[in-house]
Amino acid sequence: MFAAAFTVPGGNNQDTGAPMFLKAKAFLIFIISDAISLFSSTTSVMIFLGILTSRYKEDDFLKSLPTKMILGLFTLFLSIATMMITFSAALYIMLQGKSWVIIPTILLSSVPITSFVWMQFPFFVEIFVSTYGAYIFVRASAPVVKKRYSREVKRHIREVKNSTG
């Protein structure tokens, strides 16, 4: 995505150095989605590296690691989606008027997004519910429920740890 920002579709004007399709709406979509894809993919990589280098203490498994996993999956999905939008916008800019090529190619470019959502969304929901689900709708004035839930999870982790040796 970094390279796509500098090798823009249509090339640059030789006199000014500005992109040829600078005034086209599709070019604006291309640039914005390319920037979002670059930033979200970089964020995703940094979050997943943070997971790999975490301390792996008992408390990390309750909040820190699941939260990082949720954010990492979300930014990865955002990166893939905006990368496909960038690809589609570039294709639209380059092949203006050739909808018989553009439409099937854009439909095929939605396959990675669909497959990622189909494979990872249940995992994303499961992590979200297991991390925040038990008390996500509890009022802030009820910290006893949060504390009790946290104690129960810690107790369960200790039991599993003790039973496996």
Side-chain angles (χ1 to χ4, degrees):
M1 298 318 304
F2 180 75
F6 298 105
T7 52
V8 294
N12 296 328
N13 186 334
Q14 295 298 322
D15 297 329
T16 63
M20 296 293 266
F21 296 108
L22 188 59
K23 293 183 181 10
K25 289 183 181 180
F27 187 76
L28 183 64
I29 292 170
F30 169 82
I31 290 297
I32 290 171
S33 61
D34 184 55
I36 293 170
S37 180
L38 174 66
F39 299 141
S40 60
S41 65
T42 304
T43 303
S44 177
V45 168
M46 299 309 284
I47 289 171
F48 287 127
L49 282 174
I51 291 172
L52 286 174
T53 59
S54 66
R55 300 169 302 173
Y56 295 112
K57 289 192 174 185
E58 188 175 311
D59 292 338
D60 291 342
F61 287 95
L62 292 175
K63 281 284 188 188
S64 177
L65 290 175
T67 301
K68 286 179 183 177
M69 194 67 171
I70 290 168
L71 289 172
L73 285 172
F74 175 75
T75 54
L76 182 60
F77 172 74
L78 182 64
S79 173
I80 292 170
T82 52
M83 181 177 57
M84 291 300 118
I85 292 169
T86 302
F87 170 75
S88 300
L91 196 65
Y92 178 79
I93 290 169
M94 297 304 295
L95 300 175
Q96 287 180 350
K98 295 184 174 67
S99 61
W100 63 274
V101 175
I102 296 171
I103 293 171
T105 308
I106 289 174
L107 289 174
L108 281 173
S109 73
S110 67
V111 171
I113 298 169
T114 307
S115 65
F116 180 76
V117 169
W118 179 64
M119 291 184 297
Q120 297 298 326
F121 190 71
F123 179 60
F124 178 81
V125 170
E126 186 177 327
I127 291 174
F128 190 85
V129 168
S130 69
T131 305
Y132 304 109
Y135 54 85
I136 192 168
F137 299 111
V138 175
R139 291 180 159 184
S141 62
V144 176
V145 175
K146 291 182 181 180
K147 188 179 253 184
R148 190 176 132 241
Y149 175 74
S150 179
R151 268 190 271 132
E152 289 175 6
V153 170
K154 287 179 182 179
R155 182 179 49 81
H156 178 71
I157 290 172
R158 279 194 301 274
E159 287 174 2
V160 170
K161 197 186 283 185
N162 291 337
S163 68
T164 58

